Amino acid sequence: MTHLTFAGVALDRPRLLGIVNVTPDSFSDGGRFFDAGAAIAHGAGLVEDGADLLDIGGESTRPGSQGTPAAEQLARVLPVIEGLKPLGRPLSIDTRDATVMREAVAAGAAIVNDVTGLTHDPAALAAVAATKASVILCHSRGEPATMQQHPRYGDVVAEVRDALAALVARAEAAGIARTRLAVDPGIGFGKTPAHNLALLRRLDALAALGLPVLIGASRKGFIGRLTGVEAADRRVAGSVAAALWAAEQGARLLRVHDVAETRQALAIWAAIEKA
Ligand code: HH2
């Protein structure tokens, strides 16, 4: 059975992981919260809006991005972790680098969120195993710089499920207990819009792994492609629709930019379900 908590948060209902980007170039809100003070104020606003957890990132992994040195990521995220810690919500560090994982957890992050499932940095697995942090194991194929060039799968759902199962086995073998893990199919990470839709449609196949499933569809490119909405910050309604679908299919962690809107939609969905 899927465990009922993740990083101390009960998963009896879908929980919202609010996004705090401390980057000049994220696809949806790049540059808006680059200053630590602005990022902290943004995170505090997300908690007021109802975020259950916060995901802090100092590196954009959007298609085409080239990577940010660990020292630069740390300079961006550490003051923000310090500033958001007093809010009492579990903080997640969104990074592919072992050094950033280690230092962010030492500074108070409770979760490591690696879009490459602890495979990008050969030191990542041991770095996380040496902590008590929970981990989001995300599936991606290829590097951000080139991942969207020609993604090909036979059966995308089965391949992503099997790859996630292998990431879980590898983490457990390194000493990271199952109760510390969540899985994520990595919407948009080496996937076409059709691949993303197939994965969302068949989330039950991922939930069958027996671990909490996280979905990050918020404002992503496939929503723009399907609706013709170019500006990422105008994809809110499409993002909420994807979040509701994911919740209905069993996702228990939703990584979103628009916390208030997603929360309102989930409240009505839950009320109808219970009525
Ligand atoms: N998507 C992005 C970043 N981190 N982590 C997980 N676990 N799942 C995701 O789908 C995911 C993620 C998207 O990257 P970025 O270009 O940095 O944009 P933003 O952080 O605004 O979503």
Side-chain angles (χ1 to χ4, degrees):
M1 230 203 54
T2 303
H3 42 269
L4 297 177
T5 63
F6 183 69
V9 175
L11 300 181
D12 50 338
R13 58 188 168 88
R15 297 291 185 168
L16 299 181
L17 179 64
I19 300 170
V20 180
N21 285 318
V22 201
T23 56
D25 56 350
S26 283
F27 78 94
S28 59
D29 55 7
R32 282 186 56 205
F33 314 112
F34 191 35
D35 160 75
I40 293 165
H42 181 60
L46 294 180
V47 168
E48 246 172 66
D49 288 346
D52 302 289
L53 316 96
L54 293 173
D55 188 37
I56 302 164
E59 171 182 51
S60 174
T61 46
R62 76 181 196 288
S65 60
Q66 295 293 336
T68 306
E72 175 64 29
Q73 291 183 55
L74 284 168
R76 294 175 182 179
V77 300
L78 288 180
V80 178
I81 292 174
E82 286 298 334
L84 291 174
K85 229 172 16 182
L87 298 182
R89 295 292 186 284
L91 304 177
S92 143
I93 176 69
D94 187 344
T95 188
R96 300 175 294 161
D97 292 292
T99 312
V100 180
M101 293 171 188
R102 213 179 287 116
E103 303 257 336
V105 172
I111 302 164
V112 169
N113 174 26
D114 181 350
V115 296
T116 71
L118 303 179
T119 65
H120 172 80
D121 186 334
L125 206 53
V128 173
T131 72
K132 290 190 168 27
S134 297
V135 189
I136 297 161
L137 292 173
C138 181
H139 175 271
S140 56
R141 186 174 275 189
E143 289 292 314
T146 52
M147 67 189 177
Q148 290 304 95
Q149 284 173 7
H150 295 290
R152 277 201 194 88
Y153 297 83
D155 177 341
V156 67
V157 175
E159 284 174 47
V160 169
R161 180 202 57 209
D162 292 351
L164 285 173
L167 291 174
V168 168
R170 183 172 164 271
E172 284 192 274
I176 305 172
R178 251 183 116 69
T179 49
R180 291 166 61 188
L181 302 175
V183 292
D184 174 353
I187 299 298
F189 287 97
K191 284 127 193 149
T192 63
H195 295 142
N196 294 323
L197 294 176
L199 286 163
L200 285 165
R201 180 161 175 76
R202 291 296 322 280
L203 275 191
D204 59 317
L206 303 181
L209 291 171
L211 291 167
V213 175
L214 179 143
I215 291 295
S218 187
R219 300 186 181 181
K220 281 194 175 161
F222 79 102
I223 296 173
R225 293 261 207 103
L226 288 168
T227 58
V229 177
E230 200 55 48
D233 63 0
R234 303 206 54 194
R235 297 175 187 158
V236 182
S239 302
V240 170
L244 279 188
W245 171 274
E248 176 76 39
Q249 302 301 310
R252 280 296 168 266
L253 294 159
L254 302 167
R255 182 182 182 275
V256 300
H257 300 88
D258 304 292
V259 170
E261 292 82 353
T262 312
R263 191 169 174 86
Q264 186 182 99
L266 283 171
I268 298 308
W269 171 74
I272 295 168
E273 201 182 35
K274 266 199 236 111

